[in-house]
Amino acid sequence: MSWNDFLPQLAVEHEVLESLFTEIGTPENEKARQCQALFDKFLETIRECIDMVGKDKTRLTHEIDRMLESIRSLTDLLGQDEQAVASVVESFQGMTLWDRHEVLSNEYSFILEHYQSKLGEIQALHRELTHYGTILGPSFVKPAPYPDTGARVTSDAQQQLLDDIAACKIEQARRTTVVESAVVAIRHLWNELGFTALDKFDREVISVDLEQYPISDDTLRRLESKKTKFEEERVKREALVKEHIADITRLWDRLRIDDEEREEFMTTNIGLTMGTIQSQIAELRRLEELKSEKLAEFILDERDALHQLWDRLCYTKDQRERFEPLGDNSVTEANLAAHESEVARLKELVQDNEPLLDTLAKYMQFLKDIREFVASSMDSQRLFKAEPGRLLREEKFRNSCQREFPRIKNQLEIALQQWQNKYNEPFLVYGENYLETIDYHAQRAWEKPISETTKRIIMENQTPRPPCHGHLRQHALHTFQWDDQEPPQKDPS
């Protein structure tokens, strides 16, 4: 009912009241008192209504302000621009409080639902990241506090969680690969080195499925430490085995152990286990004992090698006799070691100067061929001997000398000069500076055959080698002096 309807109705009711007062004959003062009481009640009711409506206005105003503040707060938590809130406020022009309240209620409900949805997504991502923390450990994953209501749910915050989770997945895959590789390597080294499990960690490495193996920081450190320890042990054992095999092979060669026995030992003792190493040590002891029984023969072998190297280097008798152990007939390890050291030194010298020595050998062979040719050509009866093609061969040899001899001579001169520059001393051939006498020998080769005196000088500079075979070698063995023991007796068999 509107005021336009209420006022006529009020007038009608007032007339009925006046009519009743008249019929009753109510005195004027009483009538005035009762009408005043009625008016007071009416005014009181009106004032109560006004007061209630005023409170509704205040409530609506407060709720509108509160919802605006909540919408602004949620907008900020969502990371959205406040322009949308400003647009809503601008639309309030000409609206009643009630309409404004309804618009804001709808807007608040929408943005609150959106915020709660985003918060749920953020919370799910946070739980996933926290789960990775239990897998990868706190050093890699350090999630922020759990996002309760009021937490920021911006796109950047969500993207940061997604990036962190992606990084965790990559790290998990990397660690899984590292762990699997380390476990496989450790298991291989375990078997290779013949180790046995010592603690729970060792047993886990051996028995746990790779898919179930933890990938925490502590596990990675322990696996890497274990792997490094095993690898270092393998390197040590490899070096030890290599050293043992080299020593064993050297003794096998010296003792002339047959290939079948060697192959059987190598086939039986394969790997890097302590059992294999102990077998190698035992074999070394056996061979050393056998070597000590044949020490004198080894010294003679080294002396044979020395004579071959001296001949290769064209040493004089004096140069050879500078090696004092040559006159030492004591059967000792020290004497053998001295011979071995000298042989090794000369072999290195020969190896380093192989081109020079090869060229020298070719040149001296050429001189020998020339001398033989000259001696043969001096035979006046050679044309009467039944040797078809002799003159043709002589002509071919002369042509070869004219073509090849100067080239080889030039190569030798260059090599001799390089030797002299390298060692600051001339290369001696049986005691003479060959770089100075090379032309002399080339000239003399064509003049006449080598004299018997020259032959004798060369033979004197080449010390005869000790007998090495049969009963002569057995005689040489008995010339040695044995330290505190009798010389080994020959096996009657």
Side-chain angles (χ1 to χ4, degrees):
M1 177 181 292
S2 65
W3 283 104
N4 292 331
D5 295 331
F6 174 70
L7 292 176
Q9 182 66 32
L10 182 61
V12 171
E13 295 298 331
H14 182 265
E15 290 178 359
V16 172
L17 181 60
E18 287 291 335
S19 174
L20 290 173
F21 279 145
T22 300
E23 291 177 0
I24 295 173
T26 305
E28 285 297 327
N29 58 347
E30 181 63 22
K31 185 174 98 171
R33 186 187 66 76
Q34 291 185 13
C35 285
Q36 186 62 45
L38 177 61
F39 292 155
D40 291 341
K41 290 181 178 180
F42 179 73
L43 289 174
E44 183 181 358
T45 301
I46 290 296
R47 290 190 186 98
E48 288 179 356
C49 183
I50 291 172
D51 185 57
M52 182 181 67
V53 172
K55 290 180 179 179
D56 283 344
K57 178 184 176 182
T58 302
R59 179 183 59 80
L60 287 173
T61 301
H62 289 167
E63 288 185 2
I64 288 171
D65 292 341
R66 180 182 57 78
M67 284 190 291
L68 275 173
E69 185 63 28
S70 297
I71 290 172
R72 287 192 179 95
S73 177
L74 291 173
T75 300
D76 179 64
L77 293 176
L78 287 166
Q80 297 178 352
D81 191 358
E82 291 190 5
Q83 185 62 37
V85 180
S87 298
V88 172
V89 173
E90 290 176 1
S91 68
F92 286 170
Q93 297 295 331
M95 283 189 182
T96 64
L97 290 177
W98 190 273
D99 291 339
R100 293 179 185 181
H101 186 277
E102 185 177 1
V103 170
L104 286 177
S105 295
N106 293 333
E107 183 68 20
Y108 177 72
S109 297
F110 171 77
I111 198 169
L112 179 61
E113 182 180 357
H114 182 52
Y115 173 78
Q116 290 174 342
S117 175
K118 296 290 289 183
L119 180 62
E121 295 176 4
I122 293 289
Q123 289 174 338
L125 292 175
H126 189 278
R127 287 192 294 271
E128 184 176 357
L129 184 61
T130 303
H131 173 68
Y132 277 113
T134 62
I135 297 174
L136 301 176
S139 65
F140 189 84
V141 182
K142 295 180 179 179
Y146 186 75
D148 288 323
T149 301
R152 295 183 64 80
V153 292
T154 63
S155 298
D156 290 342
Q158 186 175 20
Q159 188 60 47
Q160 183 62 50
L161 287 170
L162 290 171
D163 292 344
D164 290 344
I165 291 172
C168 287
K169 290 180 179 179
I170 294 174
E171 178 66 11
Q172 183 183 30
R174 185 192 71 82
R175 290 193 183 187
T176 299
T177 302
V178 171
V179 167
E180 290 179 354
S181 175
V183 170
V184 170
I186 289 173
R187 289 177 179 177
H188 174 73
L189 290 169
W190 193 283
N191 294 328
E192 186 178 13
L193 300 175
F195 285 145
T196 56
L198 300 177
D199 52 28
K200 180 181 178 182
F201 182 76
D202 290 345
R203 290 189 290 272
E204 288 178 352
V205 172
I206 298 302
S207 60
V208 174
D209 292 338
L210 291 178
E211 297 178 355
Q212 301 176 355
Y213 209 87
I215 57 175
S216 64
D217 294 329
D218 182 62
T219 300
L220 287 175
R221 284 192 296 270
R222 295 185 68 181
L223 285 174
E224 187 62 29
S225 176
K226 179 72 70 175
K227 179 183 174 184
T228 301
K229 178 181 177 182
F230 283 4
E231 287 176 342
E232 290 175 353
E233 180 65 21
R234 179 175 64 179
V235 170
K236 292 180 182 177
R237 292 194 185 184
E238 283 177 344
L240 187 60
V241 168
K242 183 178 180 180
E243 180 182 351
H244 286 170
I245 293 300
D247 292 341
I248 290 173
T249 302
R250 176 176 55 82
L251 290 171
W252 278 344
D253 293 339
R254 175 168 292 167
L255 296 169
R256 298 179 179 86
I257 303 298
D258 60 79
D259 293 339
E260 184 177 349
E261 183 178 344
R262 300 186 188 194
E263 184 177 355
E264 181 181 357
F265 178 84
M266 295 299 294
T267 304
T268 306
N269 297 279
I270 297 177
L272 300 173
T273 65
M274 287 306 299
T276 298
I277 293 175
Q278 291 298 331
S279 296
Q280 293 169 353
I281 293 174
E283 177 68 3
L284 275 173
R285 290 172 180 167
R286 184 186 73 85
L287 294 174
E288 288 290 348
E289 292 176 359
L290 188 59
K291 185 188 77 169
S292 64
E293 297 173 1
K294 298 187 176 182
L295 204 56
E297 292 187 14
F298 294 156
I299 294 175
L300 288 180
D301 289 340
E302 295 300 321
R303 288 183 178 176
D304 285 344
L306 278 176
H307 281 283
Q308 293 174 8
L309 293 167
W310 285 335
D311 291 346
R312 186 88 166 94
L313 292 166
C314 302
Y315 274 15
T316 63
K317 180 179 180 181
D318 290 338
Q319 286 177 298
R320 302 174 191 221
E321 290 178 349
R322 290 173 190 168
F323 179 63
E324 295 180 358
L326 186 65
D328 183 2
N329 288 331
S330 62
V331 183
T332 63
E333 287 283 350
N335 195 14
L336 176 60
H339 281 74
E340 290 176 335
S341 177
E342 182 67 8
V343 168
R345 185 186 71 82
L346 294 180
K347 282 183 177 179
E348 183 178 359
L349 184 63
V350 169
Q351 184 177 0
D352 291 344
N353 299 278
E354 197 75 39
L356 165 61
L357 298 176
D358 289 343
T359 305
L360 177 62
K362 291 179 183 178
Y363 183 75
M364 297 185 75
Q365 181 62 43
F366 225 125
L367 292 179
K368 180 175 179 293
D369 293 342
I370 291 173
R371 286 192 292 267
E372 291 177 353
F373 171 77
V374 171
S376 175
S377 63
M378 293 177 62
D379 184 5
S380 58
Q381 301 297 321
R382 72 185 191 284
L383 299 178
F384 302 100
K385 297 178 181 179
E387 294 185 22
R390 182 186 181 100
L391 294 178
L392 181 61
R393 289 195 302 274
E394 290 180 357
E395 185 63 25
K396 285 183 178 181
F397 181 76
R398 289 190 183 93
N399 293 336
S400 175
C401 288
Q402 292 176 359
R403 183 178 64 256
E404 294 297 326
F405 185 71
R407 181 181 63 82
I408 295 177
K409 178 175 176 290
N410 182 62
Q411 290 178 352
L412 179 58
E413 288 174 334
I414 293 173
L416 290 171
Q417 187 62 54
Q418 289 175 345
W419 167 286
Q420 188 163 319
N421 294 337
K422 181 178 180 181
Y423 296 102
N424 294 322
E425 61 181 18
F427 182 83
L428 302 180
V429 176
Y430 298 117
E432 67 179 28
N433 183 350
Y434 211 67
L435 186 60
E436 295 178 352
T437 61
I438 187 172
D439 291 330
Y440 170 78
H441 287 289
Q443 180 181 357
R444 291 288 295 173
W446 287 101
E447 290 180 356
K448 62 179 180 178
I450 187 171
S451 65
E452 293 299 324
T453 302
T454 303
K455 289 182 180 180
R456 180 175 54 78
I457 293 174
I458 293 176
M459 293 301 294
E460 287 177 353
N461 283 321
Q462 295 182 359
T463 51
R465 301 182 189 176
C468 301
H469 301 286
H471 68 282
L472 294 178
R473 185 174 182 84
Q474 187 66 22
H475 172 74
L477 287 173
H478 281 281
T479 64
F480 283 104
Q481 299 174 2
W482 297 79
D483 290 348
D484 300 329
Q485 60 175 332
E486 293 295 328
Q489 300 299 318
K490 185 177 180 180
D491 190 344
S493 60

